[in-house]
Amino acid sequence: MEKRSRYIFLLCLGILFFSCGGKEARSADDEFNAFETKYVDIVLGETAVDLEASVVLVSHRTDMASPQYAGHSWEDYIKDFNRLYPGIRVSVEALTDYSSTATAMLEHGNWGDIMMIPINDRAQFSKYFIPYGTEEEISRVLRFADQYSYAGRVYGIASAGNVQGIVYNKRVFTEAGIDRLPRTPDEFLADLRQIKERTKAIPLYTNYASGWPLLQWDYYISCTATGNSSFFNHALLHAKNPFSDPGDGSGAYNVYRILYQAVAEGLIEEDFTATDWDGCKGMMNRGDIATMALGSWVFTQIQGAGPNPDDIGYMPFPMEVDGVQIAAARPDNNFGINVRSSATKKLAAMVFVKWMVEKSGFQYNEGEIPVLLSEDMIADVYSTFDGMEIMVDAPPFRGEENLLTVLNADSGLLVNQDGERKIRQLVEHAAAGDVSFDQLMEIWNERWEWAQKKNGISTN
C-alpha cells in the first residue's frame, strides 16, 4: 500500500490473446481440464522439485518489498522457498493503490501469474483465475475455502485469516484512566472522549485519505453486529431498512454511528483529509494515536513500527448482541493464479502458494490466523478474544451468488464490496454537520429498497 509508478497497459496484447489466428479463446473450464493439478495433489518437497519457471506475484504488501521492512520480507520468504524449489524464480510486484490498480490490470490482462484477488464478484472468478480444486476438497484441509468459491470450485486461497476488532495503544488507555475495555458503542465513545480530555493522543484515527481502511467499518456490520453469519450473503439481501436502529445498540446502524459521532465530536485527527497511512503506524506505536479500526493483520505491523511494541493491543469491536460479543473472522487477501499463464507457470505458482500457506510461517510472523485447519489460533494478539465466539461469514445461498453484487451496483452503496465512497461521505457529512446521521441512514435505506424493488427481491 505504498506508492508505485503508473503502468502503461498493452491492451492490444489482451485483444491478441482472444483473437489471434481467429481461434476462440479457451474458457476457464477448458484451462482447468488442460491443467489437471489440484492444490491437494501437491506434496511440498516432492511435487515439481526439478521444475524450472519464473513467476510474478502481484501483491498489496509493499512494506514487505522495502529494504527497511523490520519483519520477514518478500526477499526472505523467496530465499526460504528456493531452498526447497531452487528452480522456481519468484518476483514480486507490489502495488500501492492495490484495489483499483490490480483490478485495472485484470481487465487489461497484463499482469503476472499470482495475484491477491481484488474483485468480489464470484461469477467473474473463472474469467481470470484457475480453480485450485473443489470446495469439498479444499475445505478438508484449509480454512475459508468457501470465501472465494463459485459453483463448487475454489478460486482463491487465503494468505491468512484475521479477526475484526480495534487496534489500540494500551499506554494511552492507562493514561486516560481506562481500566476496562469497552463492550458497547456508547462505552467506546465515552472512552474516546476521555482520551481526548486526559491525553494528547488522537482518540480515533480514520485513515480517510488512504480510503481503503474505511472499508473496515463495513466488515463489522455482519457477524459482529448481528450474530448472523449469513447477514452479508442472505439476510441483508432481503432485509427491509437494514440501516435502521434496532434499538438495542447492535446492528449496522450502531456500527456506523460510532464513526459518525466520533467525527462530529472532533474525536479524530484535526484534518482527516491529510491522514498518512505510512506514518500512522509509527504514530500509534509512539502513543500519538489511541485507536484505529483495522483487522488484526495490522497488529504486528504497528508493533514493529517503533520502539514500543508492548504498548500495542488488539480488542474486540465494542458491540454486543444479546449481551454477547462476537468476533467476525475473515480471510486476508487471497492468492489467485492467472488463467492465462502457461501450464508450467501455473504449476510453479500453485507450488509457491501452497508453500506460503502451509510452510512459510507467514501467518505466525504476521500475527494472523493460520489457514491450515490442523493449526490453532495461538498468536498473542488474540488474547483479549479468549472465550469469545469466532464467526465466519457464510457463503451465498444457491441461486443468490451474485445478488449482493447486483444490489450494491444498483444502490451505489457497495456494502462489503469496496464501499469506501459511502464511508467517506459519512465522514464528510459528520464533519460538516449538513446531514444528520439518521438522515443519512434513511438515504441508505431508500437506496437499498430501490435496488431490491428493481430486482424483484422479496423483503422481510
Side-chain angles (χ1 to χ4, degrees):
M1 297 170 188
E2 317 294 329
K3 293 183 178 178
R4 69 179 297 274
S5 60
R6 293 180 178 271
Y7 285 90
I8 299 176
F9 298 112
L10 302 180
L11 180 59
C12 59
L13 292 180
I15 296 172
L16 286 172
F17 177 86
F18 286 107
S19 61
C20 184
K23 295 181 180 179
E24 184 178 349
R26 287 186 295 177
S27 69
D29 281 346
D30 291 335
E31 290 285 344
F32 182 58
N33 292 331
F35 179 73
E36 297 181 351
T37 305
K38 300 179 183 179
Y39 183 93
V40 295
D41 295 334
I42 293 172
V43 179
L44 292 173
E46 296 181 17
T47 303
V49 289
D50 297 323
L51 187 68
E52 295 281 339
S54 296
V55 295
V56 176
L57 165 65
V58 181
S59 172
H60 64 298
R61 289 298 301 270
T62 50
D63 53 344
M64 288 170 55
S66 170
Q68 286 76 41
Y69 185 58
H72 217 68
S73 68
W74 281 123
E75 183 179 359
D76 294 329
Y77 284 116
I78 293 168
K79 283 181 180 177
D80 291 344
F81 173 71
N82 285 148
R83 292 188 180 98
L84 196 60
Y85 287 94
I88 299 178
R89 295 167 294 280
V90 181
S91 58
V92 178
E93 188 168 2
L95 311 180
T96 300
D97 186 7
Y98 188 81
S99 179
S100 60
T101 305
T103 301
M105 293 172 76
L106 273 186
E107 291 298 325
H108 290 285
N110 186 27
W111 61 280
D113 307 287
I114 312 169
M115 173 181 278
M116 313 313 294
I117 298 178
I119 59 174
N120 295 293
D121 187 350
R122 292 173 183 249
Q124 296 293 309
F125 289 164
S126 63
K127 178 180 177 181
Y128 303 111
F129 308 105
I130 65 168
Y132 289 91
T134 67
E135 189 176 316
E136 182 181 4
E137 292 166 340
I138 303 298
S139 63
R140 293 193 192 114
V141 293
L142 300 181
R143 295 182 171 96
F144 311 114
D146 60 2
Q147 300 295 293
Y148 277 74
S149 65
Y150 184 72
R153 288 182 174 180
V154 175
Y155 292 90
I157 298 292
S159 57
N162 57 83
V163 296
Q164 308 306 308
I166 301 286
V167 63
Y168 72 107
N169 188 293
K170 294 184 284 188
R171 177 168 55 82
V172 172
F173 269 53
T174 298
E175 290 174 357
I178 301 167
D179 56 10
R180 174 180 173 272
L181 292 177
R183 293 178 61 92
T184 68
D186 287 341
E187 289 180 358
F188 185 55
L189 287 166
D191 286 346
L192 297 183
R193 296 181 190 110
Q194 197 162 315
I195 289 166
K196 183 175 182 179
E197 293 172 359
R198 300 183 181 182
T199 77
K200 296 181 179 179
I202 298 167
L204 174 67
Y205 196 79
T206 66
N207 270 303
Y208 171 96
S210 297
W212 61 264
L214 298 175
L215 300 176
Q216 185 68 34
W217 293 94
D218 272 0
Y219 300 161
Y220 299 133
I221 74 171
S222 181
C223 307
T224 299
T226 66
N228 181 0
S229 63
S230 294
F231 178 80
F232 274 142
N233 291 314
H234 181 69
L236 175 62
L237 312 179
H238 300 276
K240 187 174 184 178
N241 299 325
F243 304 105
S244 295
D245 186 2
D248 61 359
S250 68
Y253 176 96
N254 286 291
V255 170
Y256 298 125
R257 180 174 66 88
I258 291 175
L259 180 57
Y260 186 99
Q261 200 62 34
V263 176
E265 295 186 29
L267 303 175
I268 64 168
E269 59 274 5
E270 186 173 348
D271 181 3
F272 60 80
T273 66
T275 58
D276 176 16
W277 169 248
D278 291 331
C280 75
K281 291 178 280 188
M283 291 171 66
M284 173 164 268
N285 187 287
R286 296 190 298 271
D288 298 330
I289 295 172
T291 69
M292 289 194 290
L294 292 163
S296 59
W297 55 266
V298 79
F299 177 77
T300 55
Q301 293 187 34
I302 296 178
Q303 279 194 318
N308 307 301
D310 293 339
D311 287 348
I312 308 306
Y314 197 79
M315 65 176 169
F317 188 76
M319 182 160 288
E320 296 179 335
V321 179
D322 296 327
V324 176
Q325 280 188 294
I326 298 170
R330 60 188 293 134
D332 207 331
N333 286 266
N334 281 242
F335 293 107
I337 297 175
N338 195 341
V339 74
R340 302 183 187 180
S341 294
S342 69
T344 299
K345 287 179 177 286
K346 286 173 184 172
L347 179 57
M350 193 173 289
V351 167
F352 181 70
V353 168
K354 186 157 188 169
W355 182 85
M356 280 296 298
V357 169
E358 299 190 12
K359 295 295 184 181
S360 69
F362 173 81
Q363 295 101 347
Y364 292 103
N365 294 338
E366 299 298 313
E368 298 198 64
I369 299 172
V371 178
L372 266 177
L373 280 171
S374 59
E375 297 184 0
D376 295 327
M377 186 175 75
I378 61 174
D380 292 341
V381 61
Y382 302 113
S383 60
T384 58
F385 292 77
D386 285 349
M388 288 181 58
E389 181 178 0
I390 306 295
M391 191 176 290
V392 179
D393 288 322
F397 288 14
R398 187 173 297 276
E400 295 187 345
E401 291 90 345
N402 300 316
L403 206 48
L404 180 59
T405 299
V406 170
L407 290 175
N408 269 328
D410 288 340
S411 69
L413 295 179
L414 299 177
V415 180
N416 198 36
Q417 292 183 347
D418 296 332
E420 69 178 65
R421 182 181 177 186
K422 73 175 183 303
I423 308 299
R424 281 182 181 272
Q425 290 174 342
L426 181 150
V427 171
E428 291 160 6
H429 288 311
D434 56 346
V435 178
S436 73
F437 179 67
D438 284 336
Q439 288 173 332
L440 186 60
M441 293 300 101
E442 184 177 349
I443 291 170
W444 290 7
N445 277 329
E446 289 172 352
R447 290 183 184 177
W448 199 251
E449 181 183 15
W450 182 86
Q452 289 171 323
K453 288 181 177 178
K454 178 184 176 182
N455 291 282
I457 297 172
S458 60
T459 59
N460 49 47

